Amino acid sequence: MSELKIGTIVKLSTGTSAKVKQELGKGGQGVVYLVEVSGKKMALKWYHKHPGEAFHKNLLNNVHAGAPASNFIWPLAVTEEMNGSVGYVMELRPKEYQDMSKFILTHAKFADVHAQLNACLQICTAFQKLHIRGLSYQDMNDGNFFINPKTGDVLICDNDNVAPDKTSMGILGKAGYMAPEVVEGTTMPNRYTDYYSLAVCLFILIYMNRPFEGAWHLACPCDNNPEMAKKLFGFESVFIMDPTNTKNRPVPGVHNNVIRRWGVYPSFLGKAFCKTFSSGAIKDPTQRLMDKQWYNILLQIRSMYARCPHCGKETFIDVMAGNPHCIFCQKGIAVPSLKVGRFTIPLVEKQTIHSCLISDEQDRDAKAGEVVMKGGATGLKNTSDTPWTAMLPDGSVRVINKGEGMPAKPGLKVRFGQGETGEFI
Amino acid sequence: MEKNNPFELDAVPRRVMPLIFLVDTSGSMDGAKIASLNVAVQESLKDVGEISKNNSDAQIKVAVLEFSSGTQWMYPQPIESESFKWQDLQASGLTSLGAAYSELNEKLSKSHGFMAEPTGSRAPAIILLTDGQPTDDYKHPLEKLKGNPWFKAGVKVAIAIGDADTNVNILAEFTGNKEAVLTVHNVDQLKKIIKTVSVTASQVASQSASVGVSGNGSTTPADAQSQVVSSVTNAVDTDDALKNVDQGDSTANSGTDDWENW
């Protein structure tokens, strides 16, 4: 029996050792213990059975390479063999973080839309950083994410299957999150199957229903019959909001959240899901949206979440769709907007202009400017240390330093330091 | 809550997985066997309730069918495992296993049985507990039951209580494989195995767990039945409290039965 007794000391690849203090949980693959390493409390995942040499070696490689992003609860050391098995040490999950499955059960809820979008953005950047290193995660599902409901901060666990892309670690994934080609058995998990699972997780976090569980799924009597599961989640699967195939639509009274929310979020978000879950992308993984594309879409969504000038509630002002209206008071919202690079930002009072929208700033939360009102007219104020250059229709220019503002008049252009040039429309 | 709040939230719908106990309440079960069974199942249901509460994929509902000279469901419909109230069973009469199979087959139906949940159903986990041989014709009802798609896709485990009268082969016809038949020889083993099997079957049958490549190297995920069997086998092999339980054809502990004076 591979399990470790309390008090056992296990040697680590880093030369230190871990002392087993307490069992924290048990899963299909192994046991997680609370351990002490050089006086610090950490977690040790210990496998029921030795996972094999290749797996062990891959874990060691990951330890040496280090985490691709701070969101990953990354293996920090691998243990030496004991009782016929091995394990790895990682940081403990802080108490304020909740399992994503708790959000699905509504035992945990996002404090607000800001937290929700932050969680989605963090997931996208974390996986982008993982993929750009040539790795794939292989088993993305609601059991791998710990999310702080107040802030939307995300931690990603179970990183032991992370491996160089196209290298199989023996895991297939979880039903409902696995890409169709994995369900059908035509390929093993890889970067493109990650993109599919990522879209499933984002869809659930935003619309709070599952993307392939609608009327057709309900009509199939038994979803854990392997043949039936293949049909529902394989090449024949149908996205519940597929624009042309309506057979798997959400059912009123059952799939209420997506029915309520589909029209609330800007329509280009829905279109992105329709594209990534289209029958074409189900069969051709290269048609799926990549993490970076989701990231940009979510940044655009975040920039549109602002206070309604009529009722004062936060709403989505989808200026790209034309005739935006408040999701609460339903009144039309006519505001100027700033078109800059790939983004279009509605300009309502006190709205923040984030640096990442106007430059290559990596910190998503860094602020560059704020929308201000003067005598009923809308203006943009520079709150950053970088001077802006306003360009008037007559060709003259003006420098806008920190603390200064400019009118947001159609026809006016503004260059944000060395970054993008925006135009008011 | 705001009126017409577009961010109002319902829990994401979960399919319902019935956990069904078929319990032999014939006369020979009287005494220590039925008494410890009552305690063990009641205790196990607390764990099952916890699994159900924390499972984002499926909810577990419980149904209990007792069979002796006739059959009787504890409640007419499956009940949420979290709020299930166990009623102590009494033992007397014959062992109408065939009648139990017929009754189970009736209820494993979407149109007139347990499988008509509005959020959809998942194939059941069925645990058969018996200490004797059937006293009625069980062959024909079992044949019919085996044609039931819910039964086919479900997880089936049989617990033979004592080796004196039970027949592993008869129970293996029900489970589909001998490894899913477990023979216990005393009340401690009975209690422990009920807990192990209830929890394992509930976990595997209710969760869309991460799956690895199956043992034969194919990429088809292992079915629920073989996952439960391998997990129970692992428990029998490694848990000291279960080491004298016989699995399948094993008769290693035959003759060690002790059911008196508990």
Side-chain angles (χ1 to χ4, degrees), chain A residues 24 79 294 304 324 353 357 362:
Chain A
L24 295 176
T79 73
W294 282 117
M304 288 177 167
I353 307 295
L357 301 179
Q362 295 297 304

Side-chain angles (χ1 to χ4, degrees), chain A residues 1 26 48 101-109 113 116 139 141-142 144 168 170-178 182-188 204 207-210 213 216-226 230 232 254-257 260-261 264-265 305 313-314 316 327-328, chain B residues 1-15 17 51-58 82 110 115 117-124 149-150 152-155 203-214 217-224 230 234-235 237-240:
Chain A
M1 188 167 187
K26 219 176 226 175
H48 292 315
S101 55
K102 296 250 188 263
F103 286 77
I104 293 177
L105 289 160
T106 63
H107 296 169
K109 290 178 186 174
V113 173
Q116 181 199 42
D139 182 24
N141 65 63
D142 61 342
N144 311 130
S168 166
I171 197 90
L172 292 178
K174 178 172 168 176
Y177 297 84
M178 271 188 275
V182 179
V183 173
E184 297 269 1
T186 60
T187 180
M188 295 298 285
I204 293 174
Y207 295 106
M208 284 298 286
N209 275 120
R210 300 175 196 274
E213 297 186 11
W216 184 50
H217 176 263
L218 270 190
C220 284
C222 176
D223 72 340
N224 56 343
N225 167 337
K230 212 173 213 186
L232 290 168
V254 180
H255 310 108
N256 294 336
N257 299 327
R260 247 180 240 127
R261 292 179 173 208
V264 165
Y265 286 81
Y305 192 61
K313 289 195 177 121
E314 285 185 300
F316 292 104
I327 57 173
F328 289 97
Chain B
M1 185 59 69
E2 215 158 335
K3 212 181 156 198
N4 292 330
N5 178 2
F7 296 110
E8 195 187 321
L9 208 50
D10 295 331
V12 176
R14 296 184 286 169
R15 286 203 171 222
M17 193 284 288
I51 295 170
S52 178
K53 190 176 133 192
N54 294 311
N55 181 355
S56 60
D57 304 317
E82 289 166 75
K110 193 171 178 180
M115 315 310 283
E117 296 288 343
T119 55
S121 295
R122 220 160 234 206
W150 293 106
K152 272 197 249 178
V155 166
Q203 274 171 339
V204 172
S206 70
Q207 282 178 345
S208 317
S210 289
V211 287
V213 181
S214 62
S218 81
T219 54
T220 315
D223 62 59
S230 85
N234 188 42
D237 287 349
T238 56
D239 193 326
D240 285 347

Side-chain angles (χ1 to χ4, degrees), chain B:
Chain B
M1 185 59 69
E2 215 158 335
K3 212 181 156 198
N4 292 330
N5 178 2
F7 296 110
E8 195 187 321
L9 208 50
D10 295 331
V12 176
R14 296 184 286 169
R15 286 203 171 222
V16 175
M17 193 284 288
L19 171 65
I20 303 173
F21 291 93
L22 305 183
V23 184
D24 177 353
T25 51
S26 63
S28 57
M29 286 285 290
D30 195 26
K33 291 177 183 171
I34 198 72
S36 45
L37 184 149
N38 277 323
V39 174
V41 180
Q42 195 177 356
E43 279 180 6
S44 302
L45 289 179
K46 303 245 178 296
D47 297 323
V48 173
E50 274 301 300
I51 295 170
S52 178
K53 190 176 133 192
N54 294 311
N55 181 355
S56 60
D57 304 317
Q59 185 190 16
I60 303 169
K61 288 192 179 179
V62 176
V64 181
L65 178 69
E66 58 170 304
F67 60 96
S68 53
S69 298
T71 64
Q72 171 80 43
W73 290 99
M74 192 175 283
Y75 298 102
Q77 283 292 320
I79 290 175
E80 289 85 0
S81 51
E82 289 166 75
S83 49
F84 193 92
K85 283 197 173 60
W86 181 261
Q87 298 175 24
D88 277 348
L89 297 170
Q90 316 281 330
S92 69
L94 303 171
T95 309
S96 307
L97 185 60
Y101 288 162
S102 298
E103 185 55 34
L104 176 63
N105 188 38
E106 279 293 302
K107 295 297 181 193
L108 293 182
S109 153
K110 193 171 178 180
S111 58
H112 54 272
F114 292 164
M115 315 310 283
E117 296 288 343
T119 55
S121 295
R122 220 160 234 206
I126 309 162
I127 302 171
L128 170 61
L129 294 131
T130 180
D131 76 334
Q133 304 226 12
T135 53
D136 63 350
D137 165 31
Y138 74 94
K139 288 261 181 197
H140 287 99
L142 182 58
E143 244 168 66
K144 273 197 177 166
L145 182 60
K146 283 184 158 179
N148 185 316
W150 293 106
F151 183 80
K152 272 197 249 178
V155 166
K156 284 94 53 183
V157 181
I159 299 170
I161 307 170
D163 57 23
D165 292 315
T166 44
N167 184 327
V168 169
N169 291 322
I170 290 176
L171 297 181
E173 287 178 58
F174 170 81
T175 59
N177 48 359
K178 285 191 176 171
E179 292 72 28
V181 181
L182 303 147
T183 307
V184 294
H185 305 281
N186 60 50
V187 287
D188 288 338
Q189 289 171 10
L190 175 63
K191 282 183 190 167
K192 182 77 190 180
I193 202 79
I194 285 176
K195 185 167 174 167
T196 304
V197 169
S198 311
V199 166
T200 309
S202 297
Q203 274 171 339
V204 172
S206 70
Q207 282 178 345
S208 317
S210 289
V211 287
V213 181
S214 62
N216 58 14
S218 81
T219 54
T220 315
D223 62 59
Q225 177 77 7
S226 46
Q227 282 182 58
V228 169
V229 167
S230 85
S231 176
V232 170
T233 305
N234 188 42
V236 170
D237 287 349
T238 56
D239 193 326
D240 285 347
L242 294 174
K243 71 176 174 203
N244 294 321
V245 170
D246 284 320
Q247 191 171 14
D249 275 334
S250 160
T251 51
N253 303 294
S254 175
T256 64
D257 273 14
D258 181 6
W259 300 101
E260 299 308 317
N261 306 319
W262 294 93

Side-chain angles (χ1 to χ4, degrees), chain A residues 55-69:
Chain A
F55 192 96
H56 192 192
K57 192 163 182 285
N58 182 63
L59 261 180
L60 269 171
N61 288 344
N62 285 344
V63 166
H64 291 313

Side-chain angles (χ1 to χ4, degrees), chain A residues 199-400:
Chain A
V200 172
C201 291
L202 293 177
F203 187 88
I204 293 174
L205 285 173
I206 294 169
Y207 295 106
M208 284 298 286
N209 275 120
R210 300 175 196 274
F212 292 89
E213 297 186 11
W216 184 50
H217 176 263
L218 270 190
C220 284
C222 176
D223 72 340
N224 56 343
N225 167 337
E227 281 308 303
M228 203 76 91
K230 212 173 213 186
K231 223 184 172 98
L232 290 168
F233 300 111
F235 293 139
E236 287 177 53
S237 58
V238 176
F239 177 41
I240 56 173
M241 303 309 285
D242 189 286
T244 50
N245 188 343
T246 59
K247 78 170 178 182
N248 204 17
R249 280 281 181 269
V251 176
V254 180
H255 310 108
N256 294 336
N257 299 327
V258 67
I259 294 173
R260 247 180 240 127
R261 292 179 173 208
W262 186 253
V264 165
Y265 286 81
S267 58
F268 62 86
L269 178 65
K271 280 185 189 142
F273 281 109
C274 287
K275 181 171 188 286
T276 218
F277 291 141
S278 67
S279 58
I282 281 170
K283 295 189 186 78
D284 175 7
T286 62
Q287 290 184 30
R288 291 173 196 155
L289 268 71
M290 299 168 71
D291 15 46
K292 179 76 186 180
Q293 288 170 291
W294 282 117
Y295 179 74
N296 286 329
I297 287 168
L298 289 162
L299 278 186
Q300 173 68 75
I301 298 274
R302 184 181 72 165
S303 77
M304 288 177 167
Y305 192 61
R307 289 209 179 274
C308 168
H310 307 293
C311 70
K313 289 195 177 121
E314 285 185 300
T315 180
F316 292 104
I317 305 175
D318 184 0
V319 279
M320 296 201 297
N323 305 319
H325 61 273
C326 172
I327 57 173
F328 289 97
C329 72
Q330 306 299 330
K331 285 188 183 152
I333 301 172
V335 290
S337 50
L338 172 70
K339 190 166 167 27
V340 52
R342 58 164 63 86
F343 303 107
T344 306
I345 310 162
L347 301 175
V348 290
E349 192 172 11
K350 291 189 178 153
Q351 174 79 332
T352 299
I353 307 295
H354 287 101
S355 307
C356 58
L357 301 179
I358 57 168
S359 67
D360 54 7
E361 171 65 54
Q362 295 297 304
D363 175 5
R364 259 191 323 275
D365 297 319
K367 292 167 183 171
E370 190 187 307
V371 179
V372 288
M373 301 295 285
K374 194 168 87 181
T378 307
L380 194 57
K381 186 171 157 186
N382 185 353
T383 60
S384 73
D385 293 325
T386 308
W388 299 346
T389 313
M391 293 173 277
L392 280 62
D394 64 7
S396 60
V397 294
R398 268 188 86 121
V399 175
I400 315 291

